[in-house]
């Protein structure tokens, strides 16, 4: 409990979001400070929503709810939460746990490597969309490439279903093939060669160039299907306002300590929004599914 934060809540007098309560144990999952603030204000009732899952799922919900309400958890707390979730939900993907805990997927991956839970070493993970996918999608990428070459007009969704990979992965395979690259990124091939061959690994291909957001926006603005429609122009204005360029952000060392938490939470929110928006675009059915930006 943070007494200063509780008193600040009590002084606001504004309506606060409902607290979240685990019905079986009647423990507050999210909103302990709001309950205490209501007590300090002399109120006898608070709005509440009940959760009927088990205690492990209640913990996940508590961590996830922290990104939207209340004081943000410290990095150490988030890492500890991710470590516990890896133990209780070993089949969940690093990205799913990262979304819940407010960490990066790479950080969750490092925590998983240090975990002793046996289930964490399974060959599949359940992603943010609830689908189960293999950890190594190299074979799926190769199969997608073969299906694509056999029928270039076959839709992304159809190839994704046949190859057992995500449509966004199929899109990446198609982009790599169009650039004359192998469907499987070099780092995946290198790892396979190291595990399955005693011979010296081949030299890895140079990494792909980073995207140039300015050049992409310039290309989109020239596209008649966007430039000559009201909806398209609105989309271009929105993208131009919200896109992040290569300009360096202000140094984090200059951020006041009391503002660091809210700013970090806002950055995580923006990252989750763009990830979800990207997934929605990739999953959108198209009649001309063989054409992509």
């Amino acid at each position: 409990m943070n007494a200063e934060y509780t008193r600040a809540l009590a002084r606001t007098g504004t309506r606060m979001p409902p607290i979240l309560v685990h019905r079986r144990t009647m423990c507050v999952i999210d909103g302990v400070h709001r309950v205490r603030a209501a007590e300090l204000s002399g109120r006898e009732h608070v709005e509440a929503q009940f959760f009927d899952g088990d205690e492990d799922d209640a913990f996940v919900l508590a961590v996830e709810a922290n990104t939207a309400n209340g004081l943000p958890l410290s990095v150490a707390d988030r890492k500890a939460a991710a470590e516990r979730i890896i133990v209780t939900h070993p089949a969940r993907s690093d990205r799913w746990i990262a979304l819940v805990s407010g960490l990066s997927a790479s950080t969750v991956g490092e925590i998983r490597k240090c975990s002793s839970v046996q289930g964490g070493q399974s060959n599949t993970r359940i992603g943010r969309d609830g689908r189960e996918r293999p950890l190594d999608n190299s074979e799926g990428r190769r199969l997608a490439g073969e299906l694509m070459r056999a029928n270039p007009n076959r839709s992304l969704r159809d190839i994704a279903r046949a190859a057992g990979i995500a449509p966004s992965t199929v899109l990446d395979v198609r982009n790599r093939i169009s650039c004359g690259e192998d469907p499987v990124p070099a780092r995946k091939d290198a790892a396979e060669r190291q595990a399955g061959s005693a011979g010296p690994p081949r030299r890895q291909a140079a990494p792909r160039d980073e995207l140039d957001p300015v050049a992409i926006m310039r290309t989109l603005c020239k596209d008649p299907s966007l430039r000559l429609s009201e909806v398209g122009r609105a989309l271009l204005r929105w993208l131009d306002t919200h896109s992040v360029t290569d300009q360096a952000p202000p140094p984090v060392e200059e951020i006041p300590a009391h503002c660091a938490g809210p700013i970090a939470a806002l950055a995580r929110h923006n990252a989750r929004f763009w990830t979800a928006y990207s997934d929605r675009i990739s999953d959108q059915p198209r009649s001309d599914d063989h054409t992509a930006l």
Side-chain angles (χ1 to χ4, degrees):
M1 290 290 293
N2 185 311
E4 181 180 353
Y5 178 67
T6 301
R7 288 192 294 268
L9 284 180
R11 288 194 298 266
T12 60
T14 59
R15 182 175 179 178
M16 291 178 283
I19 65 172
L20 192 58
V21 179
H22 189 214
R23 190 188 298 272
R24 185 168 62 83
T25 62
M26 291 303 292
C27 289
V28 177
I29 297 174
D30 179 56
V32 174
H33 287 95
R34 277 168 274 164
V35 173
R36 180 57 181 155
E39 292 175 344
L40 292 177
S41 302
R43 287 185 286 151
E44 296 181 353
H45 300 87
V46 292
E47 293 186 61
Q49 294 178 342
F50 285 100
F51 174 70
D52 293 306
D54 60 27
E55 292 185 28
D56 290 336
D57 287 340
F59 178 79
V60 171
L61 195 59
V63 176
E64 185 175 24
N66 178 261
T67 63
N69 300 314
L71 289 175
L73 293 173
S74 67
V75 175
D77 288 338
R78 293 186 181 281
K79 288 182 176 180
E83 185 175 1
R84 174 174 169 178
I85 295 172
I86 288 172
V87 174
T88 59
H89 298 73
R92 285 293 186 174
S93 69
D94 291 348
R95 288 188 177 184
W96 184 87
I97 297 176
L99 182 67
V100 169
S101 61
L103 298 170
S104 67
S106 59
T107 299
V108 175
E110 291 300 320
I111 296 174
R112 190 189 294 272
K113 290 178 183 177
C114 299
S115 174
S116 59
V117 61
Q118 295 300 314
Q121 309 304 321
S122 64
N123 294 323
T124 60
R125 293 284 184 270
I126 301 174
R128 291 170 296 179
D129 57 2
R131 298 177 183 175
E132 186 172 333
R133 295 185 176 90
L135 282 176
D136 184 3
N137 61 5
S138 301
E139 289 303 321
R141 280 177 169 269
R142 293 192 184 94
L143 176 57
E146 294 173 4
L147 296 174
M148 213 169 287
R149 294 185 184 97
N151 183 2
N153 294 325
R154 192 169 179 178
S155 72
L156 293 183
R157 286 175 174 272
D158 194 16
I159 294 176
R161 283 192 294 267
I165 57 179
S168 56
T169 304
V170 178
L171 176 60
D172 181 69
V173 169
R174 186 175 63 186
N175 291 339
R176 295 182 65 84
I177 291 176
S178 66
C179 295
E181 300 178 0
D182 193 278
V184 182
R187 63 180 181 273
K188 291 182 178 292
D189 275 343
E192 287 184 359
R193 288 195 299 271
Q194 185 176 1
S197 173
R202 293 179 298 171
R203 183 180 179 181
Q204 293 188 19
R208 300 179 68 186
D209 292 336
E210 291 293 331
L211 291 176
D212 183 353
V214 176
I216 293 176
M217 281 300 305
R218 190 181 302 119
T219 301
L220 290 174
C221 290
K222 293 178 180 178
D223 192 311
S225 61
L226 295 174
R227 181 167 50 87
L228 300 180
S229 72
E230 184 59 33
V231 173
R233 288 193 295 270
L235 175 61
L236 291 173
R237 289 192 296 268
W238 187 85
L239 289 173
D240 184 56
T241 302
H242 295 86
S243 294
V244 179
T245 65
D246 293 334
Q247 181 180 0
V252 296
E253 294 81 4
E254 303 298 326
I255 297 176
H258 66 282
C259 296
I263 293 175
L266 179 61
R268 288 191 295 267
H269 166 80
N270 290 340
R272 289 195 301 272
F273 171 85
W274 276 111
T275 299
Y277 190 60
S278 173
D279 291 343
R280 287 169 56 194
I281 295 173
S282 299
D283 292 339
Q284 187 71 15
R286 302 175 179 85
S287 58
D288 58 340
D289 213 8
H290 57 282
T291 302
L293 295 175

